[in-house]
Amino acid sequence: MVKRPAANPRRRMLLLKTAIWLIGLGPIVWLTVGFFRGTLGVLPVDTIILVEGRWTLVFLLATLAVTPVRRITGWNRIIQIRRLLGLFAFFHVCVHFLAYAGIDQLFAIGYIIEDVLDRRYITAGFAALVLMVPLAVTSTKGWIRRLGKRWRKLHRLAYLSASLGVLHFYWKVRADTFWPLVAALTLAALFAVRLAYRKRTPKKIVRK
Ligand code: HEM
């Protein structure tokens, strides 16, 4: 019998990372081309905000899916793509926010603050963005080392940020709630898997 060579894990990881880069940058390329060719509809800024908002959510949920997938499949190397996914979520939310603040509101700080305070869906979205800032800043190896155990605690904020992002989506769409509900269920399922595995892992015995 001919023995098939084992798939090279490094090569597999490289392919996966390349795919994430392509998917992560794809929407920006698509929007830029569409913008200059005039194919983004009557209000291109609305298309930019919508597309970038949706990709933010996709990358946020993908980031949160890494640990549950790792626990279920035992594929430990998958952890290597978590940071990349998280940074793409942050990148897309920044474009989403800048399109809103810069093109839609022309950086009129007063109007933006008024929106953040008065429109509940903007309040939720803005809070989600604010929570993502410390997560992106502390995603480097240096910060992981410096914060130690506190890093994990801090990065649990990703669940809160994603919940606010989903709420923002739900409040924004008003009538057609199908996709916000799909996002909410996905988030709940990821959280449930995480909790289930946490209960299974015995706590370390603390020696006095
Ligand atoms: C984690 C953070 C965020 C996520 C996941 C997110 C996600 C989304 C999604 C999915 C949509 C599309 C709704 C639809 O299909 O109709 C959307 C729309 C929108 N978002 Fe966000 N968003 C976030 C943060 C923000 C922030 C910080 C702002 C501004 C302060 C913002 C402003 C808007 C606006 C104005 C729209 C509506 C665009 C329009 O109808 O033309 N979002 N967001």
Side-chain angles (χ1 to χ4, degrees), residues 135 138 147-160 194 198:
L135 303 185
T138 60
L147 289 175
K149 278 184 186 167
R150 284 173 297 164
W151 188 87
R152 276 175 151 219
K153 277 191 185 162
L154 178 72
H155 279 251
R156 282 186 203 142
L157 283 180
Y159 277 97
L160 186 56
R194 208 183 169 121
R198 213 170 157 206

Side-chain angles (χ1 to χ4, degrees), residues 97-107 112:
F97 175 70
L98 285 175
Y100 155 80
I103 314 178
D104 205 31
Q105 304 289 325
L106 300 170
F107 289 118
I112 297 171

Side-chain angles (χ1 to χ4, degrees), residues 84-161:
L84 187 59
L85 290 170
L87 287 177
F88 265 124
F90 187 62
F91 168 69
H92 285 291
V93 78
C94 288
V95 179
H96 181 64
F97 175 70
L98 285 175
Y100 155 80
I103 314 178
D104 205 31
Q105 304 289 325
L106 300 170
F107 289 118
I109 304 294
Y111 284 120
I112 297 171
I113 295 175
E114 210 176 287
D115 249 6
V116 171
L117 297 177
D118 290 349
R119 298 165 82 184
R120 63 178 184 175
Y121 88 91
I122 300 279
T123 314
F126 191 74
L129 167 67
V130 169
L131 287 177
M132 283 169 84
V133 174
L135 303 185
V137 171
T138 60
S139 69
T140 60
K141 278 184 185 156
W143 272 106
I144 297 174
R145 211 178 328 107
R146 237 170 284 158
L147 289 175
K149 278 184 186 167
R150 284 173 297 164
W151 188 87
R152 276 175 151 219
K153 277 191 185 162
L154 178 72
H155 279 251
R156 282 186 203 142
L157 283 180
Y159 277 97
L160 186 56
S161 173

Side-chain angles (χ1 to χ4, degrees), residues 18-40:
T18 310
I20 294 170
W21 272 97
L22 291 176
I23 297 169
L25 294 176
I28 289 294
V29 175
W30 185 80
L31 287 169
T32 310
V33 173
F35 186 80
F36 287 109
R37 291 181 67 195
T39 54
L40 294 186

Side-chain angles (χ1 to χ4, degrees), residues 71-72 188-201:
R71 297 258 194 269
I72 292 169
L190 294 175
F191 195 57
V193 173
R194 208 183 169 121
L195 279 187
Y197 274 88
R198 213 170 157 206
K199 275 188 188 157
R200 272 204 218 172
T201 322

Side-chain angles (χ1 to χ4, degrees), residues 46 49-50 53-54 93 96-97 100 121 125-126 128 168-169 172:
D46 280 3
I49 296 174
L50 291 190
R54 288 174 188 193
V93 78
H96 181 64
F97 175 70
Y100 155 80
Y121 88 91
F126 191 74
H168 161 78
F169 189 12
K172 164 64 190 63

